[in-house]
Amino acid sequence: MTDAADHAAGGPGLPQERRLVTEIPGPVSRAKFARRQEHVAAGVGTTLPVFVEAAGGGVLVDADGNSLIDLASGIAVTSVGNSAPAVVERVSEQVAAFTHTCFMVTPYDGYVDVAEKLGELTPGTHAKKSALLNSGAEAVENAVKIARAFTGRQAVAVVDHAYHGRTNLTMAMTAKNMPYKHSFGPFAGEVYRAPMSYPFREPAPITGEQAAERTIDVLEKQVGAANLSCLVIEPILGEGGFVVPADGFLPRLREWTEQSGIVLVADEIQTGFCRTGDWFACDHEGVVPDLVTTAKGIAGGFPLAAVTGRAEIMDAVHVGGLGGTYGGNPVACAAALGAIETMQKNDLAAAARRLGEVMTRRLGEIREEHACVGDVRGRGAMVAVEIVGTDGHSPEPVRAGRISAHCHQQGVVTLTCGTYGNVLRFLPPLVMPEPLLEEAFDVVAEAFAATA
Ligand SMILES: *Cc1c(COP(=O)(O)O)cnc(C)c1O
């Protein structure tokens, strides 16, 4: 791609630099935010109140002319960068041709092309089919519908610290009360929670297999394997704190679910599409789930989600039982095909591994100087630090918030997460230039020092 074409395409031609011309947020953003407060519901939160006017590569440019380094990717969405040229090109062509027919009324190629790609890219070589939806939560809901229809069973197993969305069923499946569930009950029934493998917070070291036995024991004794339609699990927890389970945890759960006739659903909405350095996080240990839910990184910023899985499971649902007005919208499908093409051509899985090396090296250096770093973890370009007190264990969400706020003031967009709110997470676009990532981590290091 030439520079001129980059410019024509929008974002990627932006100078890849951190540039602060006002305080953050600047006066223009503050005025816009006041208007936002007047018209937008208070329940819709904002991490960093700068209004964005352009974005591409590794930067966001705000209404005051500040250029901020993006370590959030709109929550793991713009893995291919904002306005990636192949996304812009395919979307522009599609939007000019037609914008909507509803796939359930009259079909079109883009939907089938995305389904075919999903079948190729998701783990396992078995026959697969897909259904396309609008959001991650909707994909998770549909995975549960499919698993129930296939097994004739009702119970759904999820794990501690899980995040699966904000709709009624997915609120029940999500672990954390505040802000996701508080005051929104009653929640859907037949959802059961079992322990996760969380190596940093185990009372005593245990192997992945032992952690899996603990999970299995709870489910067998408290629910009964014969009642379980599915086990839904993020292979690396997202909102729950970027928790990477101990090796062997997922393979043992795969073995048990297979023996027990339970559909294993990998929620790869945050981990999928090259984020962790493989196409999917399950690939790392060769785990082949029955169903995979995807969204976020799938379509370069367009709302698209999917359930992909074993053809015989997907086809257990009666005709008309799956779908939705906008699911697999043609423009979103064009965007997905552009994003997938970009990932394949530019080997963004390898890019994720390289960015991950930079981030873990820099966070390792910070850890040597700051006792508040309890844990550095993650995989590929999905990396986090857990901030703790002087005992090396107690969660310190206030310190994590101060570090993040310092980064924001210095023009680096960071996010926090975790059940205790004490995890700083880093999700750069996979097209982030490495020198810019190094500069962002200079700022992160400064933020640790400034808040000590
Ligand atoms: C973001 C997320 C969801 C929900 O996706 P939405 O598109 O926000 O509905 C579900 N599961 C995981 C793992 C996520 O990270």
Side-chain angles (χ1 to χ4, degrees):
M1 188 58 59
T2 63
D3 280 353
D6 275 347
H7 276 284
L14 290 173
Q16 296 296 299
E17 62 182 17
R18 182 171 65 107
R19 184 181 70 240
L20 298 182
V21 296
T22 69
E23 59 186 339
I24 302 290
V28 179
S29 279
R30 285 203 302 272
K32 287 176 183 288
F33 197 76
R35 188 167 152 264
R36 176 246 199 251
Q37 295 296 68
E38 198 181 327
H39 299 291
V40 179
V44 181
T46 297
T47 302
L48 172 54
V50 298
F51 274 70
V52 173
E53 296 204 329
V59 299
L60 303 169
V61 177
D62 75 12
D64 291 280
N66 299 296
S67 175
L68 295 88
I69 305 177
D70 183 10
L71 297 186
S73 298
I75 319 188
V77 169
T78 50
S79 297
V80 295
N82 261 285
S83 306
V87 172
V88 172
E89 200 176 308
R90 286 179 182 255
V91 164
S92 306
E93 275 172 28
Q94 181 59 50
V95 92
F98 64 96
T99 49
H100 175 83
T101 66
C102 184
F103 190 77
M104 302 183 303
V105 177
T106 49
Y108 40 87
D109 280 336
Y111 190 116
V112 184
D113 292 341
V114 171
E116 185 179 31
K117 280 282 179 200
L118 284 164
E120 283 165 22
L121 297 171
T122 51
T125 53
H126 49 281
K128 293 174 211 159
K129 292 195 179 182
S130 291
L132 304 187
L133 298 312
N134 302 296
S135 71
E138 207 189 343
V140 173
E141 294 239 359
N142 277 276
V144 171
K145 283 164 64 173
I146 294 162
R148 283 175 170 165
F150 176 71
T151 58
R153 305 170 180 178
Q154 292 185 354
V156 173
V158 291
V159 297
D160 285 329
H161 311 286
Y163 180 84
H164 296 294
R166 295 173 180 269
T167 57
N168 188 263
L169 175 59
T170 58
M171 278 194 291
M173 295 170 70
T174 289
K176 192 175 175 178
N177 175 50
M178 201 55 149
Y180 307 119
K181 304 167 76 164
H182 182 71
S183 78
F184 299 148
F187 303 112
E190 288 303 313
V191 175
Y192 299 93
R193 196 168 304 284
M196 173 63 183
S197 165
Y198 190 159
F200 178 64
R201 297 207 165 270
E202 295 291 354
I206 58 169
T207 65
E209 286 83 358
Q210 289 168 327
E213 292 308 332
R214 180 180 60 190
T215 308
I216 292 165
D217 187 64
V218 166
L219 293 173
E220 285 190 336
K221 298 297 176 298
Q222 299 183 17
V223 191
N227 297 312
L228 278 165
S229 62
C230 56
L231 166 61
V232 184
I233 187 163
E234 301 154 88
I236 297 176
L237 299 185
E239 305 300 304
F242 283 23
V243 174
V244 184
D247 284 347
F249 179 72
L250 292 173
R252 176 65 190 116
L253 291 180
R254 170 66 289 189
E255 192 178 67
W256 172 72
T257 47
E258 192 169 346
Q259 287 161 355
S260 311
I262 300 165
V263 174
L264 179 64
V265 182
D267 182 347
E268 292 250 17
I269 288 168
Q270 192 152 164
T271 50
F273 287 100
C274 300
R275 175 54 56 185
T276 65
D278 285 297
W279 274 99
F280 293 92
C282 281
D283 294 331
H284 184 72
E285 287 185 278
V287 169
V288 179
D290 300 305
L291 301 180
V292 180
T293 55
T294 52
K296 293 200 165 97
I298 191 175
F302 281 74
L304 187 72
V307 185
T308 301
R310 292 185 189 282
E312 68 275 20
I313 299 179
M314 294 297 295
D315 282 345
V317 177
H318 52 278
V319 174
L322 304 176
T325 307
Y326 294 113
N329 168 272
V331 183
C333 287
L337 295 170
I340 292 167
E341 179 194 316
T342 306
M343 290 176 201
Q344 284 180 320
K345 271 198 186 152
N346 302 347
D347 195 359
L348 291 189
R353 294 193 292 271
R354 283 196 302 275
L355 297 178
E357 276 165 28
V358 172
M359 294 192 284
T360 37
R361 169 172 52 76
R362 296 302 301 266
L363 292 169
E365 288 162 14
I366 291 170
R367 180 183 211 161
E368 274 167 30
E369 287 181 22
H370 298 278
C372 69
V373 176
D375 196 20
V376 177
R377 60 177 177 249
R379 193 183 300 147
M382 180 173 182
V383 174
V385 280
E386 181 155 354
I387 308 300
V388 295
T390 46
D391 62 359
H393 193 260
S394 313
E396 282 287 346
V398 174
R399 178 78 188 276
R402 287 172 59 218
I403 294 166
S404 198
H406 185 96
C407 291
H408 296 172
Q409 282 148 20
Q410 296 305 314
V412 176
V413 183
T414 51
L415 298 173
T416 57
C417 67
T419 297
Y420 312 101
N422 66 323
V423 178
L424 289 161
R425 59 169 154 174
F426 305 103
L427 291 161
L430 305 182
V431 294
M432 169 76 69
E434 276 186 42
L436 199 61
L437 187 63
E438 295 278 5
E439 184 179 344
F441 275 83
D442 293 345
V443 172
V444 173
E446 252 171 57
F448 274 84
T451 57

